[in-house]
Amino acid sequence: MTALELSGIKKTFGSTDVLHGIDLTVEEGEFVIFVGPSGCGKSTLLRIIAGLEDASEGTVRIAGETVNATPPAKRGIAMVFQSYALYPHLTVKGNMSLAMKQEGAAKAEIEERVGTASRMLGLEPLLERRPAELSGGQRQRVAIGRAVVRKPKLFLFDEPLSNLDAALRVNTRLEIARLHRELAATMVYVTHDQVEAMTLADKIVVMNAGRIEQVGSPMELYNRPANTFVAGFIGSPQMNFLDAAALGDTTAKTIGIRPEHIAVSAEVGDLACEVTHIEQLGADTNLYLRNETVGPFTARLFGEHYFAPDSRVHVSFDRTKQHRFDTEGQAIR
Amino acid sequence: MTAARSSLARSVAAHAILIAYTLIALFPVFVIVVNAFKARRDIFNTPLALPTPESFSLVGFETVTSQGNFLLYFQNSLIVTVVALACVLLFGAMAAFALSEYRFRGNTLMGLYLALGIMIPIRLGTVAILQIMVASGLVNTLTALILVYTAQGLPLAIFILSEFMRSVSDDLKNAGRVDGLSEYRIFFTLVLPLVRPALATVAVFTMIPIWNDLWFPLILAPAESTKTVTLGAQMFIGQFVTNWNAVLAALTLAIVPVLVLYLIFSRQLIRGITSGAVK
Ligand SMILES: Nc1ncnc2c1ncn2[C@@H]1O[C@H](COP(=O)(O)OP(=O)(O)OP(=O)(O)O)[C@@H](O)[C@H]1O
Ligand SMILES: [Mg+2]
């Protein structure tokens, strides 16, 4: 069954068009991630799904029902916000049980669900504390717990990890992945961190300027990007876009080649170039190179390597892994 | 304080300026309170001297408590101030919430219209207000004063509170909506507690002009049963003789309730002024 179906969603704020017709279906149990640069309309789309914002045009269907005129609380959704948004005057337990109290659930049932959710997230020792007495990571876990308690048809996350520091981000990411497995729930998640997107998603929706550029599994997007935008957005360091003519290809405009598909050697290779900068990360090494005809590009080598800046090296592109794009930036297949 | 951040000379200068300002601000209050406890002759002979055993006299307070209905006047002032204050805070906060939270046609225009009262003194409309009150039979009632003061206090309250409410996290309000709280619950349980310092600031700035006002009580409610303290004190100021003891005693007494209200709000007020400065 489809958990969520968006058709022709448009959104206009005054005279600015933010979303230009979004069509998307999400199957039950899927983990879908919206990625895109800042300001492309990810949060706006999520808020339209939640009912916190009205779509200017189009329909939102959750579990087969059109919910355009349904208030957020009746849509069977739960949402986790970037800024945690815990109720400051309630304890952790109060925060987690408020929605069910509003629905008029029985006390025993509330107790049971709060108990299950807090066990799942390790929140039991914190139940009587107030949000001000919690750390950032704990607050976000409570916010996630508050969503879990409701047993929603659809979980919505708006950049839930972006206020956390790097280590906590990894932990909480694992927590969310585990939660998704255990609950088998449908989740829609917004982020602009591509590592989060690649590691969590069943399906990634790449957005740009209010449009969907491509929808696909992480590996599909990595291996078969539909256009230069997606190719450049997925993968780090970014894919190199080189002038096709300079590489002797006359049927394409641009050749895209990922930094990890470039071999570098001091003696032999197809192309001689100059090292402009080197970044050694231990597990891998990023080389910033420049060739007179092709221009600057990046190579990523696995393991430890060293090439002195300003020295000359030879590179070979793995042409079987290259991506070809036409003048419109669309992939040539 | 680290040595790099403070020098003795600078902090002495800062304190000197602050102390000078405090003295200037407190001087009139000091003169009133001190002279309220002196005999009439000593008020004029040595107006700045503290009461001594010879000059000490409570005659002013005796006059005030024996003549006129001072207790009633106090009660009137208190009712008018507290009710008007409550109305200003409640309706001001609600209007501010609507202006800052909801997008609707004419939002900006409505905001400007409501803030217009900050620039145009309500006293300009006195004649029209009096006509309205006469027509609606509200002359010589406390209701008339409460209505006028509510109108007088609302513009600034809305202006200040809507700024503060814009700073309340959208995520928090949205979390409330997703959890099924009504807009009223969101307003009363989530937003109002977070703007409490701003409410206290508005309360102080609204309350003091109302308590001290002479104009509207004189025009709209001069009857004996609806007199306020400031108006009541005027009866001791005659065209030919003024009972200074009584006037000063009345004013001294009038300071007390407003001081109490101020102390209640001031803890919050200080937090309001420094909020954001220190986390
Ligand atoms: N209430 C509003 N009024 C006017 N414009 C708005 C409003 N909300 C959002 N926008 C505009 O809509 C666009 C998309 O905003 P949105 O918050 O959806 O971006 P986003 O993709 O979530 O970005 P980020 O990654 O920075 O969170 C932005 O250009 C923003 O300026
Ligand atoms: Mg966003």
Side-chain angles (χ1 to χ4, degrees), chain B residues 10-29:
Chain B
R10 213 187 291 175
S11 80
V12 166
H15 280 87
I17 292 171
L18 290 174
I19 289 169
Y21 179 75
T22 311
L23 289 181
I24 293 171
L26 284 181
F27 185 70
V29 179

Side-chain angles (χ1 to χ4, degrees), chain A residues 4-221:
Chain A
L4 171 70
E5 196 179 336
L6 303 176
S7 44
I9 299 287
K10 291 188 183 171
K11 180 67 190 177
T12 316
F13 285 115
S15 57
T16 48
D17 291 334
V18 174
L19 297 174
H20 312 264
I22 301 279
D23 298 292
L24 183 73
T25 48
V26 176
E27 301 302 324
E28 208 167 71
E30 254 184 336
F31 199 134
V32 175
I33 293 196
F34 296 166
V35 286
S38 193
C40 69
K42 307 178 296 283
S43 299
T44 307
L45 186 56
L46 200 70
R47 289 157 51 79
I48 288 174
I49 297 171
L52 296 168
E53 197 89 67
D54 287 324
S56 308
E57 258 178 69
T59 51
V60 180
R61 293 159 74 83
I62 294 177
E65 269 176 71
T66 305
V67 291
N68 280 34
T70 314
K74 303 237 155 66
R75 290 191 177 196
I77 53 146
M79 194 156 173
V80 177
F81 298 87
Q82 177 178 352
S83 61
Y84 324 129
L86 299 179
Y87 309 120
H89 61 295
L90 295 177
T91 59
V92 167
K93 195 170 169 183
N95 266 281
M96 289 170 76
S97 51
L98 184 69
M100 290 192 69
K101 274 192 196 137
Q102 287 300 113
E103 285 166 11
K107 236 189 162 114
E109 200 193 346
I110 298 179
E111 283 288 326
E112 189 215 306
R113 290 231 220 139
V114 170
T116 317
S118 51
R119 231 171 296 136
M120 210 180 253
L121 289 157
L123 293 172
E124 284 145 315
L126 310 176
L127 282 179
E128 298 308 321
R129 297 218 202 148
R130 281 178 201 278
E133 302 158 357
L134 301 175
S135 72
Q138 290 170 331
R139 282 181 208 179
Q140 198 54 292
R141 286 221 305 281
V142 174
I144 293 170
R146 184 170 67 179
V148 170
V149 167
R150 303 190 59 185
K151 289 199 180 161
K153 293 182 215 142
L154 195 59
F155 280 89
L156 305 175
F157 294 86
D158 193 353
E159 307 200 21
L161 306 185
S162 55
N163 278 6
L164 304 180
D165 64 45
L168 262 175
R169 203 175 296 178
V170 174
N171 283 338
T172 316
R173 197 171 78 205
L174 294 173
E175 199 105 310
I176 292 175
R178 185 173 56 85
L179 214 59
H180 178 237
R181 261 198 318 277
E182 279 175 23
L183 299 173
T186 318
M187 296 185 170
V188 178
Y189 187 110
V190 166
T191 180
H192 50 230
D193 183 86
Q194 56 158 310
V195 178
E196 268 168 47
M198 298 297 273
T199 52
L200 287 173
D202 294 322
K203 187 153 102 183
I204 297 182
V205 178
V206 182
M207 290 180 64
N208 182 29
R211 288 197 175 78
I212 292 183
E213 296 283 348
Q214 191 176 0
V215 180
S217 72
M219 286 309 115
E220 254 171 68
L221 297 190

